[in-house]
């Protein structure tokens, strides 16, 4: 049973560039959430996708956008990168139960460095 | 005041010790509580999941939730060097889709 897979594992970009991160959820899961984790901090919620739509969003600017595909996989896009966007980006999948996500299962993350 | 707080540590204990990790929170609407273990530069791994107040045991791990005090705990019995990691608590209310995480506590179990 494949868990949550993310690609790439590492990425180096320069300020102003754009980046796309990818996630495949755990088998049987239909909901994908994205989190940003700065060094020494807990994960911060970016947004959640369910049925190919953004269902809830955290306190992140519009430079952060996403997409969910019919096979439940998801992408996170970040435009106009800033130095402060350097972080571990985590994808978490879950199963929607009556409009709520229960347990979150995380991938290994994408380490993004912005120079 | 942050919504979820944890002592950042590092917490160092000898192998075999009982470890107590704690989180406090301010939002009385939180109903779902989870503990994650995270090794360096890896994704968090779900350890325990509890709903509302009470205790839950799974092997060497016990999770406790005291909603009246807005306080949750994770106990690790017979700690092992492989338990050395950062432990994150996470919680949410009945309606939101996002889990709010604490900053994590770094644990070192010394052989």
């Amino acid at each position: 049973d494949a868990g949550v897979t993310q690609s790439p594992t590492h990425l180096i970009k320069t300020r102003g560039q754009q980046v796309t991160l990818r996630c495949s959820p755990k088998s049987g899961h239909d909901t994908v959430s994205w989190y940003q984790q700065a060094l020494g901090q807990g994960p911060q919620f970016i947004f959640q996708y369910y049925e190919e739509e953004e269902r809830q969003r955290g306190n992140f600017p519009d430079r952060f956008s996403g997409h969910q595909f019919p096979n439940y996989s998801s992408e996170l896009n970040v435009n106009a990168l800033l130095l402060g966007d350097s972080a571990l980006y985590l994808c978490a999948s879950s199963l929607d139960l009556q409009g709520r996500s229960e347990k979150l299962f995380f991938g290994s993350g994408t380490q993004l460095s912005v120079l | 005041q942050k919504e979820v707080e944890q002592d950042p540590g590092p917490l160092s204990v000898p192998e075999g010790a009982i470890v107590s990790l704690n989180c406090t929170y301010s939002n009385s609407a939180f109903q779902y509580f989870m503990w994650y273990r995270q090794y360096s530069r890896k994704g968090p791994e779900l350890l325990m999941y509890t709903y509302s107040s009470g205790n839950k045991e799974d092997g060497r791990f016990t999770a406790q939730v005291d909603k009246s005090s807005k306080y949750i705990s994770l106990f690790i019995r017979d700690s092992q060097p492989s338990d050395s990691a950062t432990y994150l608590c996470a919680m949410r209310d009945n309606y939101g889709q996002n889990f709010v995480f604490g900053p994590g506590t770094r644990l070192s179990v010394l052989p």
Side-chain angles (χ1 to χ4, degrees):
Chain A
D1 178 21
V4 180
T5 58
Q6 290 187 245
S7 63
T9 55
H10 295 85
L11 208 50
I12 299 175
K13 292 286 187 178
T14 56
R15 281 181 299 172
Q17 285 188 312
Q18 177 263 343
V19 67
T20 297
L21 311 181
R22 296 177 175 81
C23 172
S24 291
K26 182 178 169 64
S27 178
H29 285 184
D30 56 8
T31 304
V32 172
S33 303
W34 287 92
Y35 285 78
Q36 180 195 66
Q37 186 177 25
L39 195 63
Q41 302 295 318
Q44 299 291 314
F45 177 72
I46 302 175
F47 41 55
Q48 184 183 82
Y49 276 83
Y50 173 70
E51 292 188 339
E52 302 180 50
E53 291 193 356
E54 182 182 293
R55 180 156 67 175
Q56 186 170 356
R57 187 180 185 92
N59 189 25
F60 278 79
D62 292 344
R63 298 187 297 109
F64 290 77
S65 63
H67 189 79
Q68 186 179 34
F69 299 93
N71 67 353
Y72 307 120
S73 67
S74 177
E75 288 182 351
L76 165 65
N77 300 291
V78 186
N79 294 323
L81 285 167
L82 303 173
L83 295 179
D85 295 331
S86 296
L88 181 67
Y89 287 84
L90 295 163
C91 171
S93 77
S94 55
L95 180 62
D96 180 84
L97 294 174
Q98 297 179 321
R100 294 191 295 272
S101 293
E102 298 295 329
K103 304 172 187 178
L104 294 179
F105 291 86
F106 284 89
S108 294
T110 295
Q111 184 64 52
L112 173 65
S113 298
V114 182
L115 306 179
Chain B
Q1 182 188 10
K2 290 188 176 180
E3 207 166 8
V4 179
E5 303 208 49
Q6 281 183 265
D7 185 334
L11 176 63
S12 295
V13 301
E15 183 176 354
I18 297 175
V19 177
S20 172
L21 303 166
N22 310 297
C23 282
T24 59
Y25 61 94
S26 57
N27 188 345
S28 59
F30 286 146
Q31 296 277 358
Y32 296 86
F33 304 91
M34 299 191 292
W35 284 95
Y36 284 88
R37 176 173 64 195
Q38 185 175 28
Y39 293 111
S40 180
R41 296 191 174 270
K42 299 292 186 184
E45 170 194 9
L46 180 63
L47 288 176
M48 299 291 284
Y49 174 86
T50 55
Y51 171 72
S52 197
S53 287
N55 295 354
K56 183 175 182 180
E57 186 173 325
D58 184 1
R60 297 186 295 113
F61 300 95
T62 299
Q64 289 185 349
V65 175
D66 181 350
K67 290 186 64 183
S68 63
S69 301
K70 300 191 185 69
Y71 188 87
I72 68 171
S73 300
L74 177 70
F75 297 94
I76 306 174
R77 290 182 298 280
D78 188 26
S79 56
Q80 303 295 311
S82 58
D83 294 327
S84 298
T86 295
Y87 289 80
L88 299 158
C89 63
M91 51 199 77
R92 73 162 175 85
D93 59 29
N94 267 333
Y95 308 103
Q97 305 301 336
N98 61 309
F99 280 83
V100 180
F101 282 79
T105 298
R106 272 201 302 138
L107 171 67
S108 291
V109 181
L110 306 174

